[in-house]
mmCIF file of all heavy atoms in Angstrom:
data_model
loop_
_atom_site.group_PDB
_atom_site.id
_atom_site.type_symbol
_atom_site.label_atom_id
_atom_site.label_comp_id
_atom_site.label_asym_id
_atom_site.label_seq_id
_atom_site.Cartn_x
_atom_site.Cartn_y
_atom_site.Cartn_z
ATOM 1 N N ALA A 11 145.796 20.678 183.345
ATOM 2 C CA ALA A 11 145.385 20.297 184.686
ATOM 3 C C ALA A 11 145.310 21.512 185.598
ATOM 4 O O ALA A 11 144.607 21.510 186.593
ATOM 5 C CB ALA A 11 146.327 19.257 185.250
ATOM 6 N N CYS A 12 146.022 22.557 185.238
ATOM 7 C CA CYS A 12 146.006 23.764 186.057
ATOM 8 C C CYS A 12 144.660 24.462 185.980
ATOM 9 O O CYS A 12 144.249 25.151 186.900
ATOM 10 C CB CYS A 12 147.093 24.738 185.588
ATOM 11 S SG CYS A 12 148.739 24.049 185.729
ATOM 12 N N PHE A 13 143.982 24.309 184.861
ATOM 13 C CA PHE A 13 142.709 25.005 184.647
ATOM 14 C C PHE A 13 141.495 24.100 184.880
ATOM 15 O O PHE A 13 140.389 24.458 184.562
ATOM 16 C CB PHE A 13 142.639 25.568 183.223
ATOM 17 C CG PHE A 13 143.778 26.479 182.911
ATOM 18 C CD1 PHE A 13 144.728 26.122 181.977
ATOM 19 C CD2 PHE A 13 143.906 27.670 183.575
ATOM 20 C CE1 PHE A 13 145.791 26.953 181.704
ATOM 21 C CE2 PHE A 13 144.955 28.518 183.301
ATOM 22 C CZ PHE A 13 145.918 28.164 182.366
ATOM 23 N N TYR A 14 141.720 22.983 185.439
ATOM 24 C CA TYR A 14 140.656 22.004 185.601
ATOM 25 C C TYR A 14 139.538 22.543 186.481
ATOM 26 O O TYR A 14 138.372 22.294 186.244
ATOM 27 C CB TYR A 14 141.221 20.712 186.188
ATOM 28 C CG TYR A 14 140.166 19.656 186.401
ATOM 29 C CD1 TYR A 14 139.593 18.998 185.321
ATOM 30 C CD2 TYR A 14 139.732 19.340 187.678
ATOM 31 C CE1 TYR A 14 138.621 18.048 185.508
ATOM 32 C CE2 TYR A 14 138.764 18.392 187.874
ATOM 33 C CZ TYR A 14 138.207 17.744 186.789
ATOM 34 O OH TYR A 14 137.246 16.804 186.967
ATOM 35 N N ASP A 15 139.859 23.294 187.464
ATOM 36 C CA ASP A 15 138.876 23.768 188.413
ATOM 37 C C ASP A 15 138.166 25.031 187.934
ATOM 38 O O ASP A 15 137.161 25.421 188.473
ATOM 39 C CB ASP A 15 139.562 24.029 189.751
ATOM 40 C CG ASP A 15 138.553 24.060 190.880
ATOM 41 O OD1 ASP A 15 137.468 23.459 190.692
ATOM 42 O OD2 ASP A 15 138.834 24.676 191.899
ATOM 43 N N ASN A 16 138.660 25.657 186.894
ATOM 44 C CA ASN A 16 138.114 26.932 186.445
ATOM 45 C C ASN A 16 137.249 26.762 185.189
ATOM 46 O O ASN A 16 137.495 27.395 184.172
ATOM 47 C CB ASN A 16 139.236 27.923 186.162
ATOM 48 C CG ASN A 16 140.059 28.209 187.388
ATOM 49 O OD1 ASN A 16 139.540 28.112 188.486
ATOM 50 N ND2 ASN A 16 141.301 28.553 187.200
ATOM 51 N N LEU A 17 136.245 25.912 185.232
ATOM 52 C CA LEU A 17 135.391 25.708 184.075
ATOM 53 C C LEU A 17 134.402 26.858 183.957
ATOM 54 O O LEU A 17 133.829 27.301 184.952
ATOM 55 C CB LEU A 17 134.621 24.390 184.178
ATOM 56 C CG LEU A 17 135.454 23.116 184.072
ATOM 57 C CD1 LEU A 17 134.551 21.901 184.260
ATOM 58 C CD2 LEU A 17 136.115 23.050 182.716
ATOM 59 N N LEU A 18 134.213 27.311 182.770
ATOM 60 C CA LEU A 18 133.299 28.414 182.524
ATOM 61 C C LEU A 18 132.166 27.891 181.644
ATOM 62 O O LEU A 18 132.399 27.437 180.534
ATOM 63 C CB LEU A 18 134.037 29.560 181.823
ATOM 64 C CG LEU A 18 133.198 30.770 181.506
ATOM 65 C CD1 LEU A 18 132.674 31.422 182.780
ATOM 66 C CD2 LEU A 18 134.024 31.777 180.711
ATOM 67 N N PHE A 19 130.961 27.948 182.162
ATOM 68 C CA PHE A 19 129.817 27.482 181.407
ATOM 69 C C PHE A 19 129.170 28.680 180.733
ATOM 70 O O PHE A 19 128.735 29.614 181.401
ATOM 71 C CB PHE A 19 128.798 26.778 182.307
ATOM 72 C CG PHE A 19 129.313 25.491 182.873
ATOM 73 C CD1 PHE A 19 129.785 25.430 184.175
ATOM 74 C CD2 PHE A 19 129.330 24.346 182.099
ATOM 75 C CE1 PHE A 19 130.270 24.249 184.686
ATOM 76 C CE2 PHE A 19 129.818 23.164 182.617
ATOM 77 C CZ PHE A 19 130.285 23.110 183.915
ATOM 78 N N MET A 20 129.097 28.609 179.412
ATOM 79 C CA MET A 20 128.481 29.696 178.663
ATOM 80 C C MET A 20 127.002 29.393 178.472
ATOM 81 O O MET A 20 126.598 28.238 178.387
ATOM 82 C CB MET A 20 129.159 29.873 177.306
ATOM 83 C CG MET A 20 130.600 30.251 177.435
ATOM 84 S SD MET A 20 131.361 30.518 175.857
ATOM 85 C CE MET A 20 130.541 31.966 175.310
ATOM 86 N N ALA A 21 126.224 30.424 178.375
ATOM 87 C CA ALA A 21 124.794 30.247 178.160
ATOM 88 C C ALA A 21 124.564 29.698 176.756
ATOM 89 O O ALA A 21 125.238 30.073 175.797
ATOM 90 C CB ALA A 21 124.074 31.583 178.331
ATOM 91 N N LYS A 22 123.599 28.792 176.642
ATOM 92 C CA LYS A 22 123.295 28.217 175.333
ATOM 93 C C LYS A 22 122.567 29.247 174.481
ATOM 94 O O LYS A 22 121.744 30.007 174.996
ATOM 95 C CB LYS A 22 122.439 26.962 175.479
ATOM 96 C CG LYS A 22 123.173 25.820 176.125
ATOM 97 C CD LYS A 22 122.328 24.581 176.135
ATOM 98 C CE LYS A 22 123.093 23.438 176.738
ATOM 99 N NZ LYS A 22 122.321 22.219 176.720
ATOM 100 N N PRO A 23 122.839 29.236 173.202
ATOM 101 C CA PRO A 23 122.149 30.205 172.351
ATOM 102 C C PRO A 23 120.663 29.837 172.241
ATOM 103 O O PRO A 23 120.292 28.659 172.261
ATOM 104 C CB PRO A 23 122.849 30.078 171.003
ATOM 105 C CG PRO A 23 123.465 28.730 171.020
ATOM 106 C CD PRO A 23 123.791 28.434 172.456
ATOM 107 N N THR A 24 119.836 30.847 172.152
ATOM 108 C CA THR A 24 118.410 30.587 172.001
ATOM 109 C C THR A 24 118.155 30.084 170.588
ATOM 110 O O THR A 24 118.696 30.616 169.616
ATOM 111 C CB THR A 24 117.593 31.859 172.248
ATOM 112 O OG1 THR A 24 118.019 32.854 171.347
ATOM 113 C CG2 THR A 24 117.745 32.334 173.676
ATOM 114 N N LYS A 25 117.331 29.072 170.501
ATOM 115 C CA LYS A 25 117.036 28.491 169.197
ATOM 116 C C LYS A 25 115.750 29.092 168.663
ATOM 117 O O LYS A 25 114.769 29.205 169.388
ATOM 118 C CB LYS A 25 116.910 26.980 169.278
ATOM 119 C CG LYS A 25 118.216 26.289 169.507
ATOM 120 C CD LYS A 25 118.066 24.803 169.352
ATOM 121 C CE LYS A 25 119.405 24.127 169.491
ATOM 122 N NZ LYS A 25 119.299 22.697 169.340
ATOM 123 N N ASP A 26 115.796 29.435 167.416
ATOM 124 C CA ASP A 26 114.602 29.941 166.754
ATOM 125 C C ASP A 26 113.893 28.741 166.141
ATOM 126 O O ASP A 26 114.465 28.029 165.324
ATOM 127 C CB ASP A 26 115.004 30.944 165.666
ATOM 128 C CG ASP A 26 113.814 31.711 165.150
ATOM 129 O OD1 ASP A 26 112.717 31.507 165.684
ATOM 130 O OD2 ASP A 26 113.992 32.513 164.215
ATOM 131 N N ASN A 27 112.678 28.478 166.547
ATOM 132 C CA ASN A 27 111.969 27.293 166.080
ATOM 133 C C ASN A 27 111.393 27.431 164.682
ATOM 134 O O ASN A 27 110.789 26.507 164.177
ATOM 135 C CB ASN A 27 110.855 26.931 167.054
ATOM 136 C CG ASN A 27 111.409 26.365 168.334
ATOM 137 O OD1 ASN A 27 112.509 25.833 168.345
ATOM 138 N ND2 ASN A 27 110.661 26.503 169.419
ATOM 139 N N ARG A 28 111.522 28.595 164.087
ATOM 140 C CA ARG A 28 111.020 28.747 162.724
ATOM 141 C C ARG A 28 111.893 27.947 161.771
ATOM 142 O O ARG A 28 113.122 27.974 161.853
ATOM 143 C CB ARG A 28 111.043 30.213 162.301
ATOM 144 C CG ARG A 28 109.994 31.044 162.973
ATOM 145 C CD ARG A 28 110.008 32.446 162.444
ATOM 146 N NE ARG A 28 111.355 33.009 162.610
ATOM 147 C CZ ARG A 28 111.875 33.946 161.827
ATOM 148 N NH1 ARG A 28 111.181 34.430 160.836
ATOM 149 N NH2 ARG A 28 113.074 34.415 162.043
ATOM 150 N N LYS A 29 111.237 27.258 160.879
ATOM 151 C CA LYS A 29 111.964 26.486 159.875
ATOM 152 C C LYS A 29 112.358 27.429 158.748
ATOM 153 O O LYS A 29 111.515 28.110 158.162
ATOM 154 C CB LYS A 29 111.082 25.367 159.325
ATOM 155 C CG LYS A 29 111.782 24.510 158.310
ATOM 156 C CD LYS A 29 110.863 23.434 157.801
ATOM 157 C CE LYS A 29 111.550 22.669 156.701
ATOM 158 N NZ LYS A 29 110.673 21.685 156.101
ATOM 159 N N ILE A 30 113.616 27.465 158.485
ATOM 160 C CA ILE A 30 114.099 28.299 157.395
ATOM 161 C C ILE A 30 114.190 27.413 156.171
ATOM 162 O O ILE A 30 115.038 26.526 156.088
ATOM 163 C CB ILE A 30 115.466 28.920 157.725
ATOM 164 C CG1 ILE A 30 115.338 29.795 158.971
ATOM 165 C CG2 ILE A 30 115.982 29.714 156.548
ATOM 166 C CD1 ILE A 30 116.643 30.329 159.472
ATOM 167 N N SER A 31 113.268 27.631 155.242
ATOM 168 C CA SER A 31 113.277 26.799 154.045
ATOM 169 C C SER A 31 113.868 27.610 152.898
ATOM 170 O O SER A 31 113.584 28.794 152.742
ATOM 171 C CB SER A 31 111.865 26.342 153.704
ATOM 172 O OG SER A 31 111.036 27.452 153.484
ATOM 173 N N ARG A 32 114.638 26.942 152.141
ATOM 174 C CA ARG A 32 115.256 27.594 151.010
ATOM 175 C C ARG A 32 114.663 27.020 149.739
ATOM 176 O O ARG A 32 114.200 25.902 149.701
ATOM 177 C CB ARG A 32 116.758 27.356 151.016
ATOM 178 C CG ARG A 32 117.405 27.983 152.205
ATOM 179 C CD ARG A 32 118.875 27.761 152.163
ATOM 180 N NE ARG A 32 119.471 28.334 153.360
ATOM 181 C CZ ARG A 32 120.655 28.852 153.402
ATOM 182 N NH1 ARG A 32 121.421 28.838 152.337
ATOM 183 N NH2 ARG A 32 121.113 29.358 154.510
ATOM 184 N N GLY A 33 114.703 27.796 148.701
ATOM 185 C CA GLY A 33 114.241 27.313 147.416
ATOM 186 C C GLY A 33 112.753 27.534 147.218
ATOM 187 O O GLY A 33 112.113 28.307 147.915
ATOM 188 N N ARG A 34 112.241 26.801 146.290
ATOM 189 C CA ARG A 34 110.846 26.936 145.884
ATOM 190 C C ARG A 34 109.916 26.347 146.937
ATOM 191 O O ARG A 34 110.197 25.291 147.487
ATOM 192 C CB ARG A 34 110.703 26.175 144.565
ATOM 193 C CG ARG A 34 109.460 26.456 143.833
ATOM 194 C CD ARG A 34 109.565 25.812 142.472
ATOM 195 N NE ARG A 34 108.236 25.384 142.142
ATOM 196 C CZ ARG A 34 107.928 24.351 141.426
ATOM 197 N NH1 ARG A 34 108.862 23.617 140.924
ATOM 198 N NH2 ARG A 34 106.703 24.049 141.176
ATOM 199 N N PRO A 35 108.791 26.993 147.204
ATOM 200 C CA PRO A 35 107.858 26.432 148.179
ATOM 201 C C PRO A 35 107.207 25.152 147.656
ATOM 202 O O PRO A 35 107.075 24.961 146.447
ATOM 203 C CB PRO A 35 106.819 27.534 148.365
ATOM 204 C CG PRO A 35 106.914 28.376 147.166
ATOM 205 C CD PRO A 35 108.333 28.268 146.666
ATOM 206 N N ALA A 36 106.802 24.301 148.565
ATOM 207 C CA ALA A 36 106.157 23.047 148.189
ATOM 208 C C ALA A 36 104.819 23.342 147.526
ATOM 209 O O ALA A 36 104.052 24.168 147.994
ATOM 210 C CB ALA A 36 105.957 22.166 149.410
ATOM 211 N N THR A 37 104.534 22.647 146.427
ATOM 212 C CA THR A 37 103.293 22.889 145.705
ATOM 213 C C THR A 37 102.229 21.862 146.020
ATOM 214 O O THR A 37 101.085 22.043 145.680
ATOM 215 C CB THR A 37 103.554 22.882 144.190
ATOM 216 O OG1 THR A 37 104.159 21.642 143.843
ATOM 217 C CG2 THR A 37 104.449 24.024 143.791
ATOM 218 N N GLY A 38 102.571 20.771 146.599
ATOM 219 C CA GLY A 38 101.579 19.762 146.925
ATOM 220 C C GLY A 38 102.235 18.504 147.441
ATOM 221 O O GLY A 38 103.446 18.332 147.366
ATOM 222 N N THR A 39 101.415 17.617 147.969
ATOM 223 C CA THR A 39 101.950 16.381 148.526
ATOM 224 C C THR A 39 101.639 15.184 147.643
ATOM 225 O O THR A 39 102.041 14.082 147.958
ATOM 226 C CB THR A 39 101.365 16.143 149.926
ATOM 227 O OG1 THR A 39 99.938 16.114 149.818
ATOM 228 C CG2 THR A 39 101.779 17.229 150.887
ATOM 229 N N ALA A 40 100.894 15.400 146.555
ATOM 230 C CA ALA A 40 100.550 14.290 145.663
ATOM 231 C C ALA A 40 101.799 13.853 144.909
ATOM 232 O O ALA A 40 102.670 14.668 144.591
ATOM 233 C CB ALA A 40 99.470 14.723 144.672
ATOM 234 N N PRO A 41 101.912 12.552 144.605
ATOM 235 C CA PRO A 41 103.095 12.082 143.883
ATOM 236 C C PRO A 41 103.142 12.644 142.463
ATOM 237 O O PRO A 41 102.117 12.861 141.825
ATOM 238 C CB PRO A 41 102.942 10.559 143.864
ATOM 239 C CG PRO A 41 101.549 10.279 144.264
ATOM 240 C CD PRO A 41 101.004 11.476 144.957
ATOM 241 N N LEU A 42 104.335 12.859 141.998
ATOM 242 C CA LEU A 42 104.558 13.398 140.669
ATOM 243 C C LEU A 42 104.404 12.287 139.642
ATOM 244 O O LEU A 42 104.919 11.177 139.818
ATOM 245 C CB LEU A 42 105.960 13.997 140.572
ATOM 246 C CG LEU A 42 106.382 14.505 139.214
ATOM 247 C CD1 LEU A 42 105.579 15.744 138.847
ATOM 248 C CD2 LEU A 42 107.848 14.817 139.208
ATOM 249 N N VAL A 43 103.693 12.577 138.554
ATOM 250 C CA VAL A 43 103.520 11.633 137.461
ATOM 251 C C VAL A 43 104.087 12.281 136.215
ATOM 252 O O VAL A 43 103.579 13.297 135.749
ATOM 253 C CB VAL A 43 102.029 11.279 137.245
ATOM 254 C CG1 VAL A 43 101.870 10.322 136.079
ATOM 255 C CG2 VAL A 43 101.449 10.681 138.499
ATOM 256 N N GLY A 44 105.148 11.718 135.683
ATOM 257 C CA GLY A 44 105.753 12.262 134.472
ATOM 258 C C GLY A 44 105.125 11.641 133.245
ATOM 259 O O GLY A 44 104.869 10.441 133.194
ATOM 260 N N VAL A 45 104.855 12.450 132.252
ATOM 261 C CA VAL A 45 104.212 11.969 131.028
ATOM 262 C C VAL A 45 104.961 12.540 129.830
ATOM 263 O O VAL A 45 105.236 13.728 129.785
ATOM 264 C CB VAL A 45 102.731 12.436 130.970
ATOM 265 C CG1 VAL A 45 102.074 11.975 129.687
ATOM 266 C CG2 VAL A 45 101.969 11.930 132.158
ATOM 267 N N ARG A 46 105.265 11.695 128.880
ATOM 268 C CA ARG A 46 105.841 12.169 127.626
ATOM 269 C C ARG A 46 104.703 12.400 126.653
ATOM 270 O O ARG A 46 103.824 11.569 126.510
ATOM 271 C CB ARG A 46 106.796 11.134 127.035
ATOM 272 C CG ARG A 46 108.036 10.938 127.846
ATOM 273 C CD ARG A 46 108.955 9.976 127.109
ATOM 274 N NE ARG A 46 110.030 9.532 127.954
ATOM 275 C CZ ARG A 46 111.190 10.165 128.058
ATOM 276 N NH1 ARG A 46 111.402 11.255 127.373
ATOM 277 N NH2 ARG A 46 112.134 9.718 128.855
ATOM 278 N N MET A 47 104.735 13.555 125.983
ATOM 279 C CA MET A 47 103.705 13.830 124.991
ATOM 280 C C MET A 47 104.327 14.632 123.861
ATOM 281 O O MET A 47 105.205 15.457 124.094
ATOM 282 C CB MET A 47 102.516 14.563 125.614
ATOM 283 C CG MET A 47 102.818 15.907 126.196
ATOM 284 S SD MET A 47 101.383 16.716 126.914
ATOM 285 C CE MET A 47 101.130 15.780 128.386
ATOM 286 N N PRO A 48 103.865 14.376 122.652
ATOM 287 C CA PRO A 48 104.422 15.108 121.513
ATOM 288 C C PRO A 48 104.063 16.593 121.574
ATOM 289 O O PRO A 48 103.115 16.999 122.250
ATOM 290 C CB PRO A 48 103.787 14.435 120.297
ATOM 291 C CG PRO A 48 102.593 13.740 120.816
ATOM 292 C CD PRO A 48 102.865 13.402 122.253
ATOM 293 N N GLU A 49 104.833 17.379 120.850
ATOM 294 C CA GLU A 49 104.631 18.825 120.842
ATOM 295 C C GLU A 49 103.239 19.200 120.352
ATOM 296 O O GLU A 49 102.622 20.141 120.855
ATOM 297 C CB GLU A 49 105.693 19.493 119.966
ATOM 298 C CG GLU A 49 105.701 20.998 120.048
ATOM 299 C CD GLU A 49 106.096 21.526 121.419
ATOM 300 O OE1 GLU A 49 106.912 20.887 122.097
ATOM 301 O OE2 GLU A 49 105.565 22.579 121.805
ATOM 302 N N SER A 50 102.711 18.438 119.378
ATOM 303 C CA SER A 50 101.383 18.752 118.847
ATOM 304 C C SER A 50 100.302 18.620 119.926
ATOM 305 O O SER A 50 99.363 19.414 119.983
ATOM 306 C CB SER A 50 101.054 17.840 117.669
ATOM 307 O OG SER A 50 101.078 16.489 118.084
ATOM 308 N N LEU A 51 100.449 17.641 120.811
ATOM 309 C CA LEU A 51 99.497 17.470 121.904
ATOM 310 C C LEU A 51 99.623 18.605 122.911
ATOM 311 O O LEU A 51 98.624 19.116 123.422
ATOM 312 C CB LEU A 51 99.709 16.117 122.583
ATOM 313 C CG LEU A 51 98.719 15.702 123.651
ATOM 314 C CD1 LEU A 51 97.310 15.662 123.093
ATOM 315 C CD2 LEU A 51 99.088 14.350 124.206
ATOM 316 N N GLN A 52 100.849 19.026 123.184
ATOM 317 C CA GLN A 52 101.064 20.141 124.104
ATOM 318 C C GLN A 52 100.460 21.425 123.549
ATOM 319 O O GLN A 52 99.879 22.215 124.301
ATOM 320 C CB GLN A 52 102.554 20.344 124.357
ATOM 321 C CG GLN A 52 103.183 19.231 125.168
ATOM 322 C CD GLN A 52 104.657 19.479 125.432
ATOM 323 O OE1 GLN A 52 105.078 20.623 125.539
ATOM 324 N NE2 GLN A 52 105.428 18.410 125.533
ATOM 325 N N VAL A 53 100.582 21.621 122.241
ATOM 326 C CA VAL A 53 99.997 22.808 121.614
ATOM 327 C C VAL A 53 98.481 22.790 121.769
ATOM 328 O O VAL A 53 97.856 23.802 122.082
ATOM 329 C CB VAL A 53 100.412 22.901 120.125
ATOM 330 C CG1 VAL A 53 99.600 23.952 119.395
ATOM 331 C CG2 VAL A 53 101.893 23.196 120.018
#
């Protein structure tokens, strides 16, 4: 209660609007379709 009148407002940190993405970049927005195929077909 002694310090009630002595509030100190600090400046807000500046926000960087750049999106920091981690990992692999996105390759596309199309849905992924998984397919099983034998090795001979892959060859």
Side-chain angles (χ1 to χ4, degrees):
C12 299
F13 303 113
Y14 179 72
D15 199 23
N16 299 332
L17 292 177
L18 180 63
F19 293 101
M20 297 182 68
K22 292 185 178 182
T24 58
K25 289 189 176 180
D26 192 4
N27 288 335
R28 288 184 304 152
K29 181 180 175 184
I30 299 174
S31 59
R32 296 181 182 212
R34 194 171 146 212
T37 56
T39 57
L42 175 69
V43 179
V45 178
R46 292 184 192 271
M47 62 180 73
E49 188 66 33
S50 60
L51 186 58
Q52 291 181 31
V53 168

